[in-house]
Amino acid sequence: MASWSKSGSSFSRNSSKNPELKLGPNATSLISSGIPDLDKILGGGFSVGSVIMIMEDAEAPHHMLLLRNFMSQGLVHKQPLLYASPSKHPYLFLGTLPSPNPKHHHSPHPTHEKDLRIAWQYKKYFGDPNLNITTSNGGQHDYCNDFDLRKPLERHFYSGTNVDCVSIQDSPNLDALQDRCAGFLAQFSRNEGNISSAGRIAIQSFCSPQCKYSDMEWHMLSFIKSLKGMTRSSNAVVVVTFPPSLLSSSCSKRLQHMADTLLSVRAIPDEDKELAKLLTGYQDMVGFLNVHKVARLNTQVPVILDATTFSIKLEKRRFLVLECLNQAPVDGSSGSSYGTSGGCSGSTKSGSLDF
């Protein structure tokens, strides 16, 4: 009983100091991705000390939706941010980040109604993301906010000294970026499991052709390997987006293998009649999100998801929503229906059920 009380008090102490963190499985901590649905898919958010890689789509910049929400969530939680971009003026990108909407409450999906219900007095031990958390300045915020994509983030969130922007456009190699990442991650080294603060690193279009090192594939692989090692021993999360179509097949596969969590986005072809017949709500979709791998630190047991492909929708053209794909009802004229699929005896003839 004494040991339980000790561990419980330790968790409560860490939670009060870090309201933006959640306790994850296998003695890990989680931070929010900035998208409520993605947090639920991944089991609570991104694991602290992990590298998340997002494969871009050459036809649409849907990866920017994930990257913007990730960065905005960290700034709202006052977490230090290091942002690297192939653009000449990366600081201008901060003006496009979405703003949290406290009046909007994320509506759960019908599939979430079957989730386990926990008594209210125990929810604080499970880090319910829907609970409001009191900040040090007396305000309140959620573990994961709903961000309004049409409303820019207020300037005071990113005008402080906790934001560092780096342009990698004219860099002949990745040595300078590696030094910046090493210095940033050194601020969040782990001391016997006590997390005093958490940081975020966002690297956009890592293998962009605007970068001079874009043809140095082994150099890029070495950088990601070193970055992963530094991140694993720190209290930070790194999100890297890269276009796999611009890399060789072997380099792309190696990058995917080194990722702790691997995601990919894909645009929906215009007026795809076949998809419109197969999927319900096709007209509201803007793309697809595929979850290829989920980080599992301190364990060798993989995560098995109920679904790995999700539709990307914009609720009211403002809020990012991820939903499981639902197949449209089969038309009776297009093939066999449930009434003619055969009986329990195994007969394939159409007609009444044969018991």
Side-chain angles (χ1 to χ4, degrees), residues 166-192:
V166 182
S167 175
I168 54 179
Q169 182 178 10
D170 299 328
S171 301
N173 51 50
L174 291 165
D175 294 341
L177 179 59
Q178 183 172 343
D179 293 339
R180 297 287 286 270
C181 292
F184 180 85
L185 295 173
Q187 308 174 41
F188 308 99
S189 60
R190 299 186 182 181
N191 296 321
E192 297 182 1

Side-chain angles (χ1 to χ4, degrees), residues 124-178:
K124 60 182 179 180
Y125 299 109
F126 290 86
D128 192 337
N130 295 323
L131 294 178
N132 290 330
I133 304 172
T134 304
T135 60
S136 57
N137 59 1
Q140 288 187 342
H141 64 256
D142 296 330
Y143 169 77
C144 183
N145 296 91
D146 280 304
F147 289 94
D148 190 342
L149 301 178
R150 289 189 174 184
K151 183 179 179 181
L153 189 66
E154 296 180 8
R155 189 178 182 85
H156 69 86
F157 282 109
Y158 57 87
S159 59
T161 58
N162 63 329
V163 180
D164 187 13
C165 297
V166 182
S167 175
I168 54 179
Q169 182 178 10
D170 299 328
S171 301
N173 51 50
L174 291 165
D175 294 341
L177 179 59
Q178 183 172 343

Side-chain angles (χ1 to χ4, degrees), residues 270-334:
D270 296 335
E271 298 181 359
D272 193 328
K273 297 181 180 180
E274 295 297 329
L275 281 179
K277 293 179 180 179
L278 292 175
L279 302 177
T280 58
Y282 170 79
Q283 301 298 332
D284 300 328
M285 299 179 187
V286 297
F288 296 110
L289 171 71
N290 292 92
V291 181
H292 303 273
K293 184 168 54 173
V294 180
R296 293 292 285 176
L297 306 184
N298 304 332
T299 182
Q300 296 182 350
V301 180
V303 177
I304 301 178
L305 302 177
D306 295 334
T308 57
T309 304
F310 303 87
S311 62
I312 303 176
K313 296 182 179 180
L314 295 180
E315 180 182 344
K316 301 178 181 178
R317 298 181 180 270
R318 290 178 176 269
F319 305 100
L320 188 61
V321 176
L322 303 177
E323 293 183 355
C324 294
L325 298 180
N326 296 318
Q327 186 175 0
V330 180
D331 188 4
S333 59
S334 61

Side-chain angles (χ1 to χ4, degrees), residues 34-102:
I35 305 173
D37 291 328
L38 185 57
D39 285 350
K40 294 179 180 179
I41 293 170
L42 300 178
F46 293 147
S47 298
V48 174
S50 64
V51 175
I52 294 88
M53 305 200 73
I54 303 175
M55 294 186 288
E56 305 174 4
D57 186 1
E59 298 182 359
H62 290 335
H63 63 280
M64 303 298 291
L65 297 174
L66 307 182
L67 195 65
R68 284 192 177 100
N69 281 39
F70 170 76
M71 296 171 61
S72 293
Q73 188 65 74
L75 295 177
V76 170
H77 285 163
K78 298 183 178 180
Q79 296 172 336
L81 171 67
L82 174 61
Y83 170 61
S85 169
S87 63
K88 190 174 183 179
H89 303 286
Y91 188 81
L92 299 178
F93 180 75
L94 301 179
T96 66
L97 299 181
S99 176
N101 188 349

